[in-house]
Amino acid sequence: MTNFYSDNGVTVLGSRLRQISERLTQDNREIYALEGIEMEPRWYPVLVTLDRSGPLRASAVKQQTRLSHAAISQVITQMKRAGVVVAKPDPDDGRSAILTLSDAGERLAQN
């Protein structure tokens, strides 16, 4: 029986790392569930950033977490839907929003 990873050499590394990452994320999800924490693992950088820095624009969260624009957008949308993050219009720039943790988000950050 052949081994896909051995047979395809170093070029398969990215694929294998992706599988490992997905497994770690799933394990993290299961640990959160066991502890009664209702949170997606990918929310963690945004949650901690807003908890430590207070209200910020999405662009500032992106800069601090070094997540891609697409990832930040997806995570913030998920967190808003879950009631963890609140977006309010930026008084200095109507095109932007200021993100802050909701009461539920603050409780989650304390876990």
Side-chain angles (χ1 to χ4, degrees):
M1 179 175 214
T2 64
N3 181 311
F4 176 79
Y5 298 104
S6 296
D7 293 346
N8 290 289
V10 74
T11 59
V12 79
L13 182 61
S15 175
R16 185 67 179 132
L17 288 173
R18 178 73 176 166
Q19 288 177 336
I20 292 168
S21 175
E22 289 171 1
R23 178 58 199 223
L24 288 171
T25 298
Q26 183 57 37
D27 288 351
N28 199 359
R29 210 176 266 121
E30 291 172 12
I31 291 167
Y32 287 164
L34 286 171
E35 295 296 322
I37 300 169
E38 295 182 28
M39 181 173 96
E40 283 295 315
R42 65 188 306 215
W43 296 358
Y44 184 79
V46 175
L47 182 75
V48 170
T49 298
L50 290 174
D51 183 52
R52 291 182 181 163
S53 299
L56 294 170
R57 287 183 180 171
S59 59
V61 175
K62 176 183 175 288
Q63 184 178 27
Q64 288 187 34
T65 61
R66 297 184 181 190
L67 294 172
S68 70
H69 177 77
I72 280 290
S73 179
Q74 291 170 2
V75 169
I76 289 170
T77 297
Q78 290 174 354
M79 293 177 80
K80 288 192 306 190
R81 285 186 186 143
V84 175
V85 167
V86 176
K88 296 180 181 175
D90 184 341
D92 298 328
D93 182 353
R95 300 168 296 167
S96 297
I98 301 293
L99 303 172
T100 188
L101 293 178
S102 66
D103 290 342
E106 289 178 7
R107 285 191 299 274
L108 191 57
Q110 299 312 310
N111 281 327

